[in-house]
């Protein structure tokens, strides 16, 4: 009949976005970033042939990345959120194109593209999570997201080094392009959209400095930033000074690589910590995790070079408790931020990552002029205790 309408049957009906939606996106994104996480510093050293200049290069990229993060809300306000996420995927792929040039300008451009892509993906994904996941389900959603990323951060660095040493630079960075394009395809398959019930207020500050000021005036956002900063400082220290400690004490590079892989493998415990947070409360669980992490770090610093393998065990125990903060820590921000300023505050909140990459090396460089390498872990243990106290003292009991 001419009046009969046939509806297309090839278009699948997607279920509403849930925790598994964002866990799968984050898992693929983690593969795109983790695969060359160990290749980039090696490639930088091959180009520069100087450890100090490599450190300067990382510092420059971190500072530029901080600027990009603070200006991200202006881009989100100008363009639809889905286009910013799309641009983040393409920036990861473009970064690998620059990396394969194996030149200093290409290395710098590749690292910048990688930082900008990661910033765009992180901020927009957090905004999508806050739009689609109820506040009471943040803990379960975040713990599932961390657990799914375990596969990427455990196997990704090893895969990248294997491809780089066995098949060359094009194979290692080509894998990143594949993962980035797969992430882009998966994102558009989910057809995520901005929450139409949430519209930004006309009076919200667009200037990055104004956003910082607005963030600082809110005590719960400051606390959420401190919680994230403390646990991120642990990972920065663990990934850099853990393997370095193994090499200096004579255990070898393989022991350092196994230490990092073992720490990443513990991410599957995020599901356990998510259940613990639901059972005992986020405030109690995070406070316990911080003080337990502090105890493990102080023990690692106390043992030091006298028993390197025992020190490694203490560091792994510290990683286990840090994963509790990975699983639960971001919920302190998600449950505190106001709906009309999510984009602005999310950008300022993410600066914890940039500061955690800049601050520890600067502090440790001073500490190490007076004490041995174990002092690095003691210093971090003191910071963990400080963060634990503020979490217990100022995070609401209802959290």
């Amino acid at each position: 009949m001419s009046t009969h309408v046939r509806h297309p049957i090839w278009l699948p009906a997607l279920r509403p976005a849930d925790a598994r939606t964002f866990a799968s996106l984050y898992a693929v994104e983690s593969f795109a970033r983790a695969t060359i996480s160990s290749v980039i510093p090696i490639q930088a050293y091959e180009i520069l042939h100087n450890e100090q200049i490599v450190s300067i290069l990382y510092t420059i990229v971190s500072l530029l990345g901080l600027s990009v993060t603070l200006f991200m809300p202006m881009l989100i306000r100008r363009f639809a959120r889905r286009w910013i996420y799309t641009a983040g995927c393409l920036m990861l792929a473009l970064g690998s194109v620059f990396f394969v040039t194996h030149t200093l300008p290409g290395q710098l451009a590749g690292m910048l593209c990688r930082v900008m892509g990661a910033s765009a993906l992180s901020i927009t994904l957090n905004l999508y999570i806050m739009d689609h996941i109820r506040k009471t389900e943040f803990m379960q959603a975040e713990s599932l997201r961390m657990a799914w990323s375990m596969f990427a951060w455990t196997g990704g660095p090893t895969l990248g080094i294997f491809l780089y040493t066995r098949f060359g630079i094009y194979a290692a960075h080509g894998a990143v392009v594949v993962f980035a394009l797969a992430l882009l395809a998966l994102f558009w398959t989910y057809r995520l959209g901005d929450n139409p019930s949430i519209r930004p207020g006309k009076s919200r500050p667009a200037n990055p400095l104004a956003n910082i000021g607005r963030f600082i005036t809110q005590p719960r956002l400051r606390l959420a930033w401190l919680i994230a900063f403390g646990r991120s400082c642990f990972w920065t220290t663990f990934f850099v000074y853990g393997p370095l400690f193994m090499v200096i004490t004579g255990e070898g590079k393989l022991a350092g690589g196994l230490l990092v892989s073992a720490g990443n493998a513990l991410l599957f415990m995020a599901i356990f910590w998510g259940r613990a947070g639901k059972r005992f409360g986020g405030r109690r669980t995070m406070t316990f995790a911080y003080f337990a992490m502090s105890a493990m770090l102080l023990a690692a610093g106390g043992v030091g070079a006298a028993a390197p393998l025992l020190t490694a065990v203490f560091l792994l125990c510290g990683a286990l408790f840090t994963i509790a903060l990975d699983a639960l820590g971001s919920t302190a921000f998600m449950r505190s931020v106001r709906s009309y300023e999510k984009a602005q505050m999310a950008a300022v909140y993410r600066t914890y990552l940039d500061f955690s990459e800049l601050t520890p090396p600067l502090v440790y460089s001073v500490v190490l002029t007076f004490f041995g390498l174990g002092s690095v872990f003691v210093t971090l243990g003191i910071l963990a205790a400080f963060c634990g106290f503020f979490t217990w003292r100022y995070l609401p009991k209802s959290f």
Side-chain angles (χ1 to χ4, degrees), residues 128-192:
Y128 279 125
I129 290 173
M130 287 186 283
D131 277 359
H132 292 86
I133 303 295
R134 292 195 297 267
K135 288 187 176 183
T136 56
E137 298 177 352
F138 279 154
M139 288 186 186
Q140 298 93 309
E142 287 299 284
S143 61
L144 183 65
R145 187 160 68 104
M146 291 298 108
W148 282 31
S149 70
M150 177 268 294
F151 300 100
W153 290 108
T154 301
T158 303
L159 173 64
I161 291 293
F162 172 77
L163 292 174
Y164 186 69
T165 57
R166 189 72 176 269
F167 300 102
I169 190 172
Y170 287 96
H173 292 290
V176 174
V177 175
V178 172
F179 283 125
L181 295 180
L183 174 63
L184 182 60
L186 183 63
F187 170 74
W188 281 97
T189 299
Y190 286 142
R191 298 198 294 273
L192 295 175

Side-chain angles (χ1 to χ4, degrees), residues 99-132:
F99 279 128
V100 297
T101 64
H102 210 265
T103 62
L104 181 57
Q107 186 76 12
L108 178 60
M111 293 173 71
L112 286 175
C113 285
R114 178 178 165 86
V115 168
M116 289 187 290
S119 176
L121 292 172
S122 174
I123 292 174
T124 50
L125 186 64
N126 279 333
L127 294 176
Y128 279 125
I129 290 173
M130 287 186 283
D131 277 359
H132 292 86

Side-chain angles (χ1 to χ4, degrees), residues 17 29 34 52 72 75 127 159 164 172 196 210 246 261 304 316 322 399:
E29 176 197 336
Q52 186 176 11
M72 195 61 65
L75 295 176
L127 294 176
L159 173 64
Y164 186 69
M246 291 292 100
S261 295
L316 286 176
T322 307
F399 183 79

Side-chain angles (χ1 to χ4, degrees), residues 102 108 157 173 177 190 205 223 244 249-250 264 266-267 300 302 305 321-322 345 361 381 383 393:
H102 210 265
L108 178 60
H173 292 290
V177 175
Y190 286 142
L223 178 59
L244 181 62
T249 56
N264 286 330
L266 290 173
L267 281 170
F321 295 115
T322 307
M345 297 302 101
L383 173 63
R393 178 67 178 81

Side-chain angles (χ1 to χ4, degrees), residues 120-355:
L121 292 172
S122 174
I123 292 174
T124 50
L125 186 64
N126 279 333
L127 294 176
Y128 279 125
I129 290 173
M130 287 186 283
D131 277 359
H132 292 86
I133 303 295
R134 292 195 297 267
K135 288 187 176 183
T136 56
E137 298 177 352
F138 279 154
M139 288 186 186
Q140 298 93 309
E142 287 299 284
S143 61
L144 183 65
R145 187 160 68 104
M146 291 298 108
W148 282 31
S149 70
M150 177 268 294
F151 300 100
W153 290 108
T154 301
T158 303
L159 173 64
I161 291 293
F162 172 77
L163 292 174
Y164 186 69
T165 57
R166 189 72 176 269
F167 300 102
I169 190 172
Y170 287 96
H173 292 290
V176 174
V177 175
V178 172
F179 283 125
L181 295 180
L183 174 63
L184 182 60
L186 183 63
F187 170 74
W188 281 97
T189 299
Y190 286 142
R191 298 198 294 273
L192 295 175
D194 298 2
N195 190 335
S197 66
I198 299 177
R199 296 298 181 189
K202 295 182 179 181
S203 62
R204 66 175 185 170
N207 185 289
L209 295 179
N211 293 337
I212 295 173
R214 176 63 181 159
F215 190 97
I216 293 175
T217 59
Q218 301 182 60
R220 291 184 64 177
L221 293 186
R222 294 199 306 266
L223 178 59
W225 190 95
L226 179 64
I227 293 172
F229 173 75
R231 51 106 166 169
S232 189
C233 282
F234 175 89
W235 290 120
T236 298
T237 304
F238 183 79
F239 289 144
V240 175
Y241 293 92
L244 181 62
F245 180 82
M246 291 292 100
V247 172
I248 291 177
T249 56
E251 298 299 324
K253 296 179 181 178
L254 179 59
L258 291 174
L259 175 65
V260 172
S261 295
N264 286 330
L266 290 173
L267 281 170
F268 79 93
M269 291 297 294
I271 294 179
F272 164 79
W273 287 116
R275 293 174 179 172
K278 185 177 181 180
R279 172 67 176 82
F280 302 104
R283 174 173 172 263
R284 290 182 177 180
T285 305
M286 286 192 285
T287 300
F288 168 75
Y290 256 128
F291 282 123
M293 182 213 304
S294 176
M296 294 301 103
L297 287 168
L298 293 175
V303 174
L309 295 182
L310 180 59
T311 300
V313 171
F314 283 129
L315 291 178
L316 286 176
C317 291
L320 174 64
F321 295 115
T322 307
I323 290 168
L325 300 163
D326 288 335
L328 305 176
S330 59
T331 61
F333 168 76
M334 294 180 178
R335 293 176 62 175
S336 302
V337 65
R338 294 180 171 88
S339 60
Y340 61 85
E341 55 182 6
K342 286 180 180 179
Q344 294 85 351
M345 297 302 101
V348 179
Y349 172 72
R350 194 189 178 276
T351 60
Y352 77 82
L353 189 59
D354 302 288
F355 278 100

